[in-house]
Amino acid sequence: VTGFNPGADGEVYDLVLSPDGSTLYAGGNFANIAGVSRSRVAALSSTDGTALSFNPNVNSTVKTLAISPDAATLYIGGAFATVSGTSRANLAAVSTSGSGALVSSFSPNPNEEVASVVVSPDGLSLYVAGVYDQIGGQSRAYLSRVDSATGVVQTDFSPSPSAAVQGIAISRDGSRLYTTGGFTTIGGSSRSYF
């Protein structure tokens, strides 16, 4: 599409489109995109790539994005320490309206990088993959599920992969979670990397 050329001054690692298709969210390691200052995450018009007012200002690398089914919340994962000047380790939720205000109730603070996030189809849970071994104040290595509103760990989900999980995808009905990474066992069974 010749009219779409937002241009960023650093790598873009992930994109997610709003459910209505009007807004494209970008996350990465950039400081400017579409000719304006946007630190690591931005919202763009999906038609012409112009930057919208959304500007949560993440202080370091964003690796993964996911949007809630109602399009009200954007989840941001990566290797960062602050969002909008507030302490948030590696995982945060922001409002998609206006400038992208931090959702203060959501604060799971995994202790290492988050590589991938996906929201359950009902919007109630967020699956979080990465290289961490603590999240929400609990021991959970590499893959966990948290409440999408509060970030509290949902303890009935504990697949315990043997190594870091890098990618996740969920089935439309929410009954299956697909995973990739460096593991050789997951859920108590032998599974090599997938």
Side-chain angles (χ1 to χ4, degrees), residues 113 115 129-132 141-143 161-167 180-184 193:
E113 181 179 306
V131 299
Y132 62 86
Y142 314 126
L143 183 61
S162 59
V165 175
Q166 297 296 328
T180 64
F183 54 85
T184 54
Y193 314 122

Side-chain angles (χ1 to χ4, degrees), residues 1 4 17-18 20-24 43-50 52:
V1 179
F4 185 89
L17 197 61
S18 62
D20 68 2
S22 66
T23 303
L24 182 67
L44 309 169
S45 164
S46 62
T47 304
D48 61 15
T50 56
L52 307 179

Side-chain angles (χ1 to χ4, degrees), residues 93-119:
V94 297
S95 170
T96 56
S97 65
S99 62
L102 186 68
V103 177
S104 59
S105 62
F106 184 87
S107 185
N109 291 315
N111 67 333
E112 294 289 347
E113 181 179 306
V114 170
S116 186
V117 291
V118 65
V119 185

Side-chain angles (χ1 to χ4, degrees), residues 132-151:
Y132 62 86
D133 59 17
Q134 298 258 340
I135 187 169
Q138 297 195 34
S139 293
R140 279 289 183 282
Y142 314 126
L143 183 61
S144 58
R145 187 181 68 205
V146 301
D147 184 284
S148 62
T150 65

Side-chain angles (χ1 to χ4, degrees), residues 63-105:
K63 288 291 186 77
T64 180
L65 302 170
I67 196 165
S68 59
D70 65 2
T73 305
L74 183 73
Y75 297 94
I76 302 168
F80 52 82
T82 66
V83 177
S84 299
T86 301
S87 177
R88 280 296 181 279
N90 309 312
L91 182 61
V94 297
S95 170
T96 56
S97 65
S99 62
L102 186 68
V103 177
S104 59
S105 62

